[in-house]
Short mmCIF file of all heavy atoms in Angstrom, two decimals:
data_model
loop_
_atom_site.label_atom_id
_atom_site.label_comp_id
_atom_site.label_asym_id
_atom_site.label_seq_id
_atom_site.Cartn_x
_atom_site.Cartn_y
_atom_site.Cartn_z
N GLU A 207 49.59 138.98 107.25
CA GLU A 207 48.34 138.30 106.89
C GLU A 207 47.18 139.29 106.79
O GLU A 207 46.33 139.17 105.91
CB GLU A 207 48.02 137.20 107.90
CG GLU A 207 49.05 136.08 107.94
CD GLU A 207 49.19 135.34 106.62
OE1 GLU A 207 48.20 135.23 105.87
OE2 GLU A 207 50.32 134.88 106.33
N LEU A 208 47.14 140.26 107.71
CA LEU A 208 46.08 141.28 107.67
C LEU A 208 46.15 142.11 106.39
O LEU A 208 45.11 142.38 105.76
CB LEU A 208 46.18 142.20 108.87
CG LEU A 208 45.66 141.66 110.19
CD1 LEU A 208 46.09 142.56 111.34
CD2 LEU A 208 44.14 141.54 110.14
N ILE A 209 47.34 142.52 106.02
CA ILE A 209 47.51 143.31 104.79
C ILE A 209 47.05 142.51 103.58
O ILE A 209 46.27 142.99 102.75
CB ILE A 209 48.96 143.78 104.64
CG1 ILE A 209 49.32 144.80 105.73
CG2 ILE A 209 49.20 144.38 103.24
CD1 ILE A 209 50.80 145.12 105.83
N LEU A 210 47.52 141.27 103.48
CA LEU A 210 47.14 140.43 102.34
C LEU A 210 45.65 140.13 102.32
O LEU A 210 45.03 140.13 101.25
CB LEU A 210 47.97 139.15 102.33
CG LEU A 210 49.45 139.33 102.02
CD1 LEU A 210 50.19 138.02 102.20
CD2 LEU A 210 49.65 139.88 100.61
N ALA A 211 45.06 139.87 103.49
CA ALA A 211 43.62 139.60 103.55
C ALA A 211 42.83 140.81 103.07
O ALA A 211 41.84 140.67 102.33
CB ALA A 211 43.23 139.21 104.97
N HIS A 212 43.25 142.01 103.50
CA HIS A 212 42.57 143.22 103.05
C HIS A 212 42.66 143.37 101.53
O HIS A 212 41.66 143.67 100.87
CB HIS A 212 43.17 144.46 103.73
CG HIS A 212 42.59 145.74 103.24
ND1 HIS A 212 41.43 146.27 103.78
CD2 HIS A 212 42.96 146.57 102.24
CE1 HIS A 212 41.13 147.38 103.14
NE2 HIS A 212 42.04 147.60 102.21
N LEU A 213 43.84 143.14 100.98
CA LEU A 213 44.02 143.28 99.53
C LEU A 213 43.23 142.21 98.77
O LEU A 213 42.67 142.49 97.71
CB LEU A 213 45.50 143.22 99.17
CG LEU A 213 46.31 144.44 99.61
CD1 LEU A 213 47.80 144.17 99.46
CD2 LEU A 213 45.89 145.67 98.82
N ARG A 214 43.16 141.00 99.30
CA ARG A 214 42.36 139.95 98.64
C ARG A 214 40.88 140.33 98.64
O ARG A 214 40.18 140.12 97.66
CB ARG A 214 42.56 138.60 99.32
CG ARG A 214 43.84 137.89 98.91
CD ARG A 214 43.86 136.45 99.40
NE ARG A 214 44.00 136.36 100.84
CZ ARG A 214 45.16 136.30 101.50
NH1 ARG A 214 46.29 136.31 100.83
NH2 ARG A 214 45.17 136.21 102.80
N ALA A 215 40.42 140.89 99.74
CA ALA A 215 39.01 141.24 99.87
C ALA A 215 38.64 142.51 99.11
O ALA A 215 37.57 142.58 98.49
CB ALA A 215 38.65 141.41 101.35
N ARG A 216 39.50 143.51 99.12
CA ARG A 216 39.17 144.82 98.56
C ARG A 216 39.89 145.16 97.27
O ARG A 216 39.55 146.12 96.61
CB ARG A 216 39.50 145.92 99.58
CG ARG A 216 38.89 145.73 100.93
CD ARG A 216 37.51 146.33 100.96
NE ARG A 216 36.89 146.07 102.24
CZ ARG A 216 36.33 146.96 102.98
NH1 ARG A 216 36.32 148.22 102.60
NH2 ARG A 216 35.76 146.63 104.12
N GLY A 217 40.96 144.44 96.96
CA GLY A 217 41.74 144.78 95.77
C GLY A 217 42.68 145.94 96.07
O GLY A 217 42.98 146.24 97.22
N ALA A 218 43.12 146.60 95.02
CA ALA A 218 44.08 147.70 95.16
C ALA A 218 43.57 148.69 96.20
O ALA A 218 42.39 149.03 96.22
CB ALA A 218 44.27 148.39 93.82
N SER A 219 44.48 149.12 97.06
CA SER A 219 44.09 149.98 98.18
C SER A 219 45.11 151.08 98.40
O SER A 219 46.30 150.88 98.18
CB SER A 219 43.98 149.15 99.46
OG SER A 219 43.00 148.16 99.34
N PHE A 220 44.61 152.21 98.87
CA PHE A 220 45.51 153.28 99.27
C PHE A 220 46.22 152.88 100.56
O PHE A 220 45.71 152.09 101.35
CB PHE A 220 44.75 154.59 99.46
CG PHE A 220 44.31 155.23 98.19
CD1 PHE A 220 42.99 155.18 97.78
CD2 PHE A 220 45.24 155.88 97.38
CE1 PHE A 220 42.58 155.77 96.60
CE2 PHE A 220 44.85 156.49 96.20
CZ PHE A 220 43.52 156.43 95.80
N GLU A 223 44.24 153.19 103.72
CA GLU A 223 43.22 152.14 103.88
C GLU A 223 43.84 150.87 104.46
O GLU A 223 43.24 150.23 105.34
CB GLU A 223 42.56 151.83 102.54
CG GLU A 223 41.74 152.96 101.98
CD GLU A 223 41.26 152.70 100.57
OE1 GLU A 223 42.03 152.17 99.74
OE2 GLU A 223 40.09 153.03 100.31
N LEU A 224 45.01 150.52 103.96
CA LEU A 224 45.70 149.34 104.50
C LEU A 224 46.07 149.55 105.96
O LEU A 224 45.87 148.66 106.80
CB LEU A 224 46.96 149.05 103.68
CG LEU A 224 46.76 148.52 102.28
CD1 LEU A 224 48.08 148.49 101.54
CD2 LEU A 224 46.16 147.13 102.34
N ALA A 227 43.04 149.31 108.16
CA ALA A 227 42.60 147.92 108.32
C ALA A 227 43.46 147.19 109.35
O ALA A 227 42.95 146.45 110.19
CB ALA A 227 42.65 147.19 106.97
#
Side-chain angles (χ1 to χ4, degrees):
E207 297 299 329
L208 282 168
I209 293 169
L210 291 173
H212 176 86
L213 290 169
R214 280 191 290 271
R216 307 272 176 130
S219 299
F220 286 105
E223 293 172 319
L224 289 171

